[in-house]
Amino acid sequence: MNYNVNEKGYYGEFGGAYIPEMLYPNVEELRQNYLKIMAEPSFKEEFDQLLKDYVGRPSPLYLAKRLSEKYNTKIYLKREDLNHTGAHKINNTIGQILMAKRLGKTRIIAETGAGQHGVATATVCALMGLECIVYMGEIDIARQAPNVARMKMLGATVVPALSGSRTLKDATNEAIRDWINNPVDTHYIIGSAIGPHPYPDMVTRFQSVISEEIKWQLKEHEGRENPDYVVACIGGGSNAAGTYYHFLHEEDVNIISVEAAGLGIDSGESAATSVLGKEGIIHGCKTLLMQTNDGQITEPYSISAGLDYPGVGPMHSHLSKTGRAQFMSITDADAMKAGLELCKLEGIIPAIETAHALAIFEHKTFKPDDIVVVSLSGRGDKDLNTYIDYFKL
Amino acid sequence: MNRINKKLKENKKLLSIYFTAGYPNLNDTVSIIQDLEKNGVDMIEIGLPFSDPLADGPTIQKSSTQALKNGMTTKVLFDQLKDIRKTVEIPLIIMGYFNPMLQYGVEDFCKKCQEIGIDGLIIPDLPVDVYHDDYKATFEKYGLINVFLITPQTSDERIRFIDSVSNGFIYMVSTASVTGSQSGFGEEQTDYFKRISDMNLKNPQIIGFGISDNKTFSQATKYAKGAIIGSAFIKHLNNNGKSTINKFVHSILN
Ligand SMILES: Cc1ncc(COP(=O)(O)O)c(C=O)c1O
């Protein structure tokens, strides 16, 4: 079984580029050039250099002793939270800004949910001196205020998305409309492994540095490259795609993907796409998505803005459908509890997105000698208000 | 012969009007179609509303949201239209995004269109390549004309390909933009209109996006077979209600 994208842009039956003709020239230009550009020695050199000196990579692979003790298994945390700007998102934005420059683009647009991708995009735009416009749902602007301020300080214009559920899905719609309206000078930096081909593959490749590092780091720690499990939370699926990439075809590595159950799978307030979704088309790709019988996209819910998305990237739909990945869904309550637990046990305040991945240990028992690598996708600074409100701190 | 092809043979410039089915009220669909025909419109695009209309500006977005709130669905629309051919003769096209069609079942959707007497489809997010490989045979089996968009950025080579796959008309998007976002055409647009006109394509072209009044209609139809009005008509419905559709159409055609 092949879990990578094929030459037509599909993962099994998922993926493709279902885009209006207005977007065709831009997406086609990217499709024809992205692999070529990524293979250029000068691109690689600049990318690696920035990841090292600017982002602070490699990010540590940390053996979480007290957490491991509590759950009687061996848990490693891949510390993407220690990256510059506080999450894995910057791996992708560094890659895409270098891509945009080589394509001669001068204006950058992005969508954001939690604001992490918006901050990561604003950051690289400041670094390169490019104009930056970030679309963000009105609701997310309210619940992620510190990140909105960060983007503004970094010189970006934050435009509220006022349509639909006023969250990530709608911010993405607005960004796509902006790209339709500005077809010549603009590059759209999508923030997850979603969108029309080649975006899911391009974003995955930029994030694949995560699993590349896990391999040699685990070898140093344990004398072996492959863990028994890799675990990641899934919004659109970029930190997960990066964490899995070099293990996809390693049969001894189990994959666990963690979705947001919101108030519960059957509550009507959920974002657990693999359970609640059906095959359909969202934001230019065929994938699993939450929708009505009539094909209208439904509004998801999660306490975490970064997981509040009605679809998953096409790679993850394929991993779900083929059974390569086990999908689990975690409620708001369980995620919040796991987030606080990591603070107390390890002195690490995780993003609420990430806390979903940490919550699986309450629901699944691992063997004492299992090695479980969890993608610690981001830090919780941006979520302090939510933590404060939730725990009445 | 398909009604669209017959209409395209008429020796006149064509006015096509888009409206969102189920807007302003759920059951306005049939009466709006009848009114538009009675007042001299040549062709109608019936918008099947979608929750996430990527290629549309605020006006059509809002009408779609309202139509969905009113209870419009694919089944409801087909139900409303089941006797439409008893009273209406002009070509009818359904314009909608691909996901609702996919969920209905593409073949069932096409079959239903044929039963009702729908002549064609415009699906902005179904790219010509995917259509050509996966759906062309089905559309043709049910006698449906699929209409593709081109924009000022579309390469000549791709325009030729789209022309070869098309069997009705080509929908020329006037500017690189979502629907409803501009007023008036400048030199850049007229140059583009001329360029396409000079390509001598086998399919006639109809220009849409940014046509809002008699002036833009005349400018567009100087170079093309016809023009499509969408957002401006929705705005008219919103501001003046359905009772003055005649005034709107006459203000365009003079
Ligand atoms: C810290 C963190 N983790 C995870 C996600 C989810 O995105 P993805 O599934 O693309 O990794 C986000 C999105 O904003 C995030 O900020």
Side-chain angles (χ1 to χ4, degrees):
Chain A
M1 180 73 70
N2 174 30
Y3 300 107
N4 289 327
V5 79
N6 69 20
E7 71 287 351
K8 290 186 90 179
Y10 285 83
Y11 301 84
E13 66 205 83
F14 302 105
Y18 293 81
I19 47 169
E21 190 60 33
M22 291 82 105
L23 289 178
Y24 180 82
N26 273 322
V27 173
E28 180 63 11
E29 179 185 35
L30 198 59
R31 189 185 71 80
Q32 285 187 5
N33 291 296
Y34 81 111
L35 291 176
K36 239 187 300 179
I37 291 177
M38 285 176 77
E40 284 169 9
S42 70
F43 181 93
K44 279 187 166 159
E45 196 179 310
E46 205 177 346
F47 183 57
D48 291 347
Q49 188 82 45
L50 283 170
L51 287 187
K52 176 167 170 283
D53 297 338
Y54 188 72
V55 175
R57 303 202 73 91
S59 68
L61 183 68
Y62 165 68
L63 173 61
K65 286 218 186 67
R66 299 189 65 210
L67 192 67
S68 298
E69 225 162 79
K70 164 141 197 209
Y71 292 104
N72 196 24
T73 189
K74 209 163 192 184
I75 303 171
Y76 280 92
L77 303 176
K78 179 59 174 162
R79 299 291 308 274
E80 295 300 301
D81 61 316
L82 294 177
N83 291 342
H84 180 41
T85 71
H88 65 292
K89 297 284 181 187
I90 191 127
N91 304 327
N92 170 44
T93 59
I94 294 269
Q96 285 206 47
I97 200 87
L98 296 177
M99 182 70 60
K101 279 185 64 175
R102 278 163 176 76
L103 293 171
K105 307 291 179 176
T106 55
R107 181 176 173 275
I108 300 296
I109 55 172
E111 86 297 337
T112 196
Q116 283 308 105
H117 174 60
V119 168
T121 305
T123 298
V124 297
C125 287
L127 182 67
M128 298 294 169
L130 296 181
E131 185 188 357
C132 179
I133 294 113
V134 180
Y135 291 89
M136 187 169 188
E138 202 182 24
I139 297 205
D140 293 336
I141 287 183
R143 62 178 163 175
Q144 309 276 233
N147 272 346
V148 177
R150 277 189 195 106
M151 287 184 265
K152 288 183 181 162
M153 288 178 72
L154 292 161
T157 306
V158 180
V159 182
L162 305 172
S163 58
S165 53
R166 291 168 293 144
T167 59
L168 181 53
K169 154 177 98 79
D170 312 285
T172 308
N173 288 340
E174 289 307 325
I176 291 174
R177 289 183 186 118
D178 179 307
W179 211 17
I180 288 175
N181 288 331
N182 296 283
V184 180
D185 60 348
T186 299
H187 176 72
Y188 177 18
I189 301 192
I190 293 186
S192 193
I194 56 165
H197 178 67
Y199 274 103
D201 185 49
M202 181 172 69
V203 173
T204 297
R205 285 168 188 265
F206 288 140
Q207 291 292 0
S208 69
V209 64
I210 299 173
S211 49
E212 191 184 311
E213 289 174 3
I214 292 173
K215 275 194 165 252
W216 64 256
Q217 289 172 320
L218 200 63
K219 179 99 183 166
E220 281 183 9
H221 283 285
E222 298 282 343
R224 61 190 246 205
E225 287 190 339
N226 289 356
D228 297 294
Y229 292 88
V230 283
V231 182
C233 68
I234 300 223
S238 68
N239 89 89
T243 303
Y244 307 162
Y245 189 75
H246 291 284
F247 301 116
L248 284 171
H249 299 96
E250 305 279 342
E251 277 169 23
D252 55 331
V253 181
N254 297 289
I255 296 175
I256 300 180
S257 300
V258 187
E259 294 181 313
L263 300 182
I265 295 278
D266 301 317
S267 67
E269 301 288 335
S270 180
T273 309
S274 74
V275 185
L276 300 169
K278 268 190 318 185
E279 184 175 321
I281 289 166
I282 182 170
H283 298 142
C285 74
K286 193 182 270 184
T287 193
L288 294 174
L289 70 112
M290 290 166 51
Q291 53 183 317
T292 65
N293 287 335
D294 196 41
Q296 307 296 339
I297 299 174
T298 45
E299 329 232 301
Y301 164 80
S302 165
I303 193 168
S304 116
L307 304 185
D308 203 351
Y309 184 71
V312 287
M315 175 206 249
H316 299 289
S317 294
H318 186 52
L319 295 179
S320 168
K321 181 113 185 198
T322 56
R324 175 68 184 95
Q326 176 191 353
F327 277 68
M328 296 178 69
S329 27
I330 294 296
T331 60
D332 287 0
D334 285 353
M336 295 305 282
K337 208 170 114 207
L340 197 59
E341 180 178 82
L342 192 74
C343 303
K344 299 269 156 72
L345 287 180
E346 298 289 347
I348 298 170
I349 303 176
I352 296 172
E353 289 80 9
T354 314
H356 285 73
L358 297 163
I360 65 158
F361 295 104
E362 285 289 342
H363 297 272
K364 183 177 167 78
T365 310
F366 295 88
K367 294 205 282 289
D369 59 352
D370 277 341
I371 293 176
V372 184
V373 175
V374 180
S375 166
L376 203 79
S377 58
R379 67 176 89 124
D381 306 31
K382 71 182 175 62
D383 295 316
L384 274 189
N385 285 339
T386 312
Y387 277 123
I388 290 167
D389 288 350
Y390 193 86
F391 291 113
K392 312 271 179 294
L393 298 169
Chain B
M1 189 193 279
N2 186 299
R3 290 180 198 90
I4 295 173
N5 296 122
K6 222 188 276 174
K7 178 59 82 176
L8 289 165
K9 287 207 159 47
E10 286 180 18
N11 187 23
K12 65 180 285 210
K13 298 294 182 180
L14 306 180
L15 171 62
S16 182
I17 298 266
Y18 167 95
F19 75 101
T20 305
Y23 177 86
N25 305 299
L26 180 62
N27 292 315
D28 287 340
T29 315
V30 171
S31 70
I32 289 177
I33 293 172
Q34 290 170 337
D35 255 24
L36 287 172
E37 175 174 54
K38 200 170 69 195
N39 286 291
V41 168
D42 297 293
M43 188 153 67
I44 296 174
E45 282 151 39
I46 305 165
L48 177 60
F50 182 50
S51 54
D52 295 78
L54 288 182
D56 287 301
T59 304
I60 293 180
Q61 283 174 46
K62 274 190 207 130
S63 67
S64 303
T65 306
Q66 186 58 48
L68 292 171
K69 269 199 199 124
N70 292 345
M72 183 50 76
T73 66
T74 310
K75 285 197 187 73
V76 168
L77 179 61
F78 283 149
D79 237 33
Q80 290 177 343
L81 295 178
K82 71 180 190 307
D83 294 325
I84 196 73
R85 284 302 173 198
K86 291 188 179 148
T87 54
V88 172
E89 282 174 11
I90 57 174
L92 297 175
I93 295 174
I94 289 185
M95 178 160 185
Y97 290 80
F98 194 41
N99 197 49
M101 301 178 192
L102 206 55
Q103 301 311 321
Y104 193 91
V106 174
E107 171 129 22
D108 287 348
F109 192 97
C110 291
K111 190 164 168 227
K112 197 79 196 175
C113 284
Q114 185 185 45
E115 277 169 32
I116 289 169
I118 297 294
D119 307 291
L121 295 171
I122 304 177
I123 311 165
D125 60 344
L126 176 61
V128 60
D129 325 76
V130 179
Y131 170 78
H132 181 262
D133 294 349
D134 298 344
Y135 299 108
K136 189 165 184 273
T138 308
F139 279 48
E140 285 176 357
K141 178 171 161 197
Y142 296 103
L144 292 169
I145 284 177
N146 196 27
V147 178
F148 296 101
L149 276 53
I150 62 170
T151 82
Q153 271 71 40
T154 312
S155 69
D156 283 4
E157 185 193 349
R158 191 162 168 86
I159 292 173
R160 297 262 176 229
F161 174 56
I162 287 172
D163 190 38
S164 75
V165 178
S166 301
N167 55 355
F169 63 92
I170 289 175
Y171 190 140
M172 249 175 95
V173 175
S174 65
T175 2
S177 77
V178 294
T179 52
S181 36
Q182 72 149 62
S183 51
F185 294 129
E187 202 176 322
E188 209 177 310
Q189 274 93 41
T190 46
D191 284 353
Y192 157 63
F193 297 165
K194 258 186 246 165
R195 174 166 71 85
I196 303 302
S197 170
D198 289 346
M199 284 182 78
N200 290 316
L201 301 175
K202 92 177 154 73
N203 292 276
Q205 302 95 53
I206 298 191
I207 296 177
F209 289 39
I211 318 277
S212 58
D213 51 17
N214 174 266
K215 178 157 173 257
T216 39
F217 179 76
S218 314
Q219 277 179 311
T221 50
K222 192 167 158 210
Y223 303 97
K225 178 69 187 167
I228 301 169
I229 297 183
S231 298
F233 180 62
I234 306 273
K235 270 189 204 146
H236 177 86
L237 285 177
N238 188 36
N239 297 339
N240 309 290
K242 306 177 290 174
S243 58
T244 55
I245 286 179
N246 58 340
K247 275 200 196 135
F248 180 82
V249 176
H250 296 155
S251 78
I252 305 296
L253 295 176
N254 250 352

